[in-house]
């Protein structure tokens, strides 16, 4: 089915042409998330004839769905996703047919390997991606150092998840994310620390208001979530401990919020509050890790998720998790003072949800560590803020 209007959409089931009219689409969502390894999709169709539910066989051919999506007919911007169906649902008497699935990456989730890796971590991650048929990668240079590790009868997905939790950069970079995005019809493996993600160039500019302005896309609706318990329940420091099996000693340490790279001027943490009394214990170290990476990754990710903004904007088929965006409120823009509104400034894209129906729009989940303000307050001022 090909639909051209205020957006361009093409849906194919395997190699066969299936007649789907625009009126049949009840829901089409495509989601990419910085904390999920693979993009997902959900497609609900009105199926009064029951061709999809009862006539077309559930075979290998019908299990692959390709979706081409663009905001206009510009072929240079079109994004094509190839998904593998994981669930089908047929509902009567509503005569609704729904399929859900994940981006098709053969052998990522279902092929277990026993393998030993030696040498440069970045090179080994590129090799893993290549074996999965992913030719393009964005792997941080912080992982350009030598370290050995095992894949003990794990899938590649299990290995990648383990590494993002445990690794630490050669200069203590932390807060690693590992995920696959689809940009301009090409899957890309991203494995970067927060230190590296937040220095990405600003990908999009957004203006909170009904209309675009110059190179600013409009945000027609937004919701902001500041979890106030962060001010009362968490201190600026997190403690950890583990048993070092090589030295036979018990090691204790701490991480300060000021070490965390952030996008906002202030952290949503009270500077007058005592340090956290909680302590994380993990057991003993091993030949791969002393757990410092695990502590720092968890702490850095928590700090940078203090503040959330859901923003609805025009359909942007190639925006992706990990992008840095600038958000400006129209009133502040007109006054010439961005800090009149504390949620103006730079944000990190955490989740992208494309929604296609009568129109094509994109919901963005944006995150950062706190606020920007020129008003005196009791929050911790960011020391390691992106300049």
């Amino acid at each position: 089915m090909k639909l051209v209007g205020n957006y361009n959409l093409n849906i194919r089931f395997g190699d066969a042409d299936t007649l789907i009219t625009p009126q049949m689409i009840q829901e089409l969502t495509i989601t990419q998330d910085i904390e999920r390894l693979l993009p997902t999709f959900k497609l609900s169709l009105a199926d009064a004839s029951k061709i999809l539910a009862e006539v077309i066989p559930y075979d290998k051919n019908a299990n692959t769905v390709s979706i081409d999506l663009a905001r206009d007919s510009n072929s240079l911007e079109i994004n094509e996703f190839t998904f593998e169906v994981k669930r089908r649902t047929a509902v009567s008497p509503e005569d609704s047919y729904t399929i859900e699935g994940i981006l098709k990456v053969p052998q990522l989730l279902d092929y277990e390997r026993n393998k030993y890796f030696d040498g440069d971590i970045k090179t080994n991650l590129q090799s893993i991606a290549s074996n999965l048929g992913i030719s393009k990668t964005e792997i941080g240079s912080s992982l350009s150092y030598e370290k050995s590790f095992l894949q003990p009868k794990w899938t590649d997905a299990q290995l990648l998840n383990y590494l993002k939790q445990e690794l630490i950069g050669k200069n203590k970079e932390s807060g690693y994310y590992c995920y696959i995005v689809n940009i301009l019809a090409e899957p890309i493996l991203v494995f970067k620390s927060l230190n590296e993600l937040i220095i990405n160039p600003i990908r999009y500019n957004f203006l909170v208001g009904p209309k675009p302005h110059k190179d600013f896309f409009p945000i027609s609706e937004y919701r902001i979530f500041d979890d106030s318990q962060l001010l009362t329940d968490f201190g600026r420091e997190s403690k950890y401990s583990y048993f070092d099996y090589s030295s036979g000693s018990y090691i204790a340490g701490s991480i300060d919020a000021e070490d965390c790279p952030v996008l906002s001027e202030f952290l949503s943490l009270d500077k007058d509050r005592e340090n956290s009394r909680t302590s994380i214990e993990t057991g003993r170290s091993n030949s791969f890790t002393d757990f410092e990476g695990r502590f720092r990754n968890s702490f850095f990710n928590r700090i940078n998720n203090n503040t959330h903004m859901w923003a609805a904007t025009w359909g942007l088929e190639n925006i992706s998790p990990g992008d840095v965006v600038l958000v400006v409120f129209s009133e502040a823009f007109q006054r010439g003072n961005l800090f009149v509104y504390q949620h103006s400034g730079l944000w990190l894209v955490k989740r992208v949800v494309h929604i296609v129906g009568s129109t094509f729009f994109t919901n963005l989940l944006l995150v950062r560590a706190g606020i920007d303000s020129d008003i005196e307050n009791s929050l911790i001022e960011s020391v390691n803020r992106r300049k």
Side-chain angles (χ1 to χ4, degrees), residues 221-260:
E221 181 181 347
Y222 72 92
R223 288 175 292 165
I224 295 175
F225 301 91
D226 281 313
D227 197 342
S228 60
Q229 78 168 11
L230 296 170
L231 296 175
T232 58
D233 293 353
F234 295 107
R236 64 187 300 159
E237 183 182 86
S238 181
K239 300 176 183 178
Y240 64 89
S241 58
Y242 63 91
F243 180 79
D244 188 338
Y245 87 108
S246 59
S247 65
S249 58
Y250 201 68
I251 306 296
S254 63
I255 308 169
D256 194 281
E258 289 188 349
D259 297 333
C260 184

Side-chain angles (χ1 to χ4, degrees), residues 15-81:
D15 299 325
D17 291 328
T18 305
L19 180 60
I20 301 175
T21 63
Q23 294 74 23
M24 293 174 63
I25 299 178
Q26 298 175 332
E27 176 186 356
L28 171 56
T29 57
I30 298 173
T31 303
Q32 302 189 86
D33 194 306
I34 201 170
E35 293 183 344
R36 298 178 185 172
L37 186 56
L38 290 172
T40 61
F41 89 105
K42 181 178 181 180
L43 174 62
S44 294
L45 299 168
D47 186 28
S49 64
K50 293 185 169 52
I51 291 177
L52 297 172
E54 302 295 346
V55 178
I56 298 177
Y58 291 171
D59 61 3
K60 180 179 180 180
N61 186 59
N63 215 47
T64 299
V65 177
S66 297
I67 301 176
D68 303 346
L69 182 62
R71 186 160 49 90
D72 52 41
S73 57
N74 185 354
S75 61
L76 296 179
E77 293 295 325
I78 198 164
N79 200 357
E80 178 182 350
F81 299 81

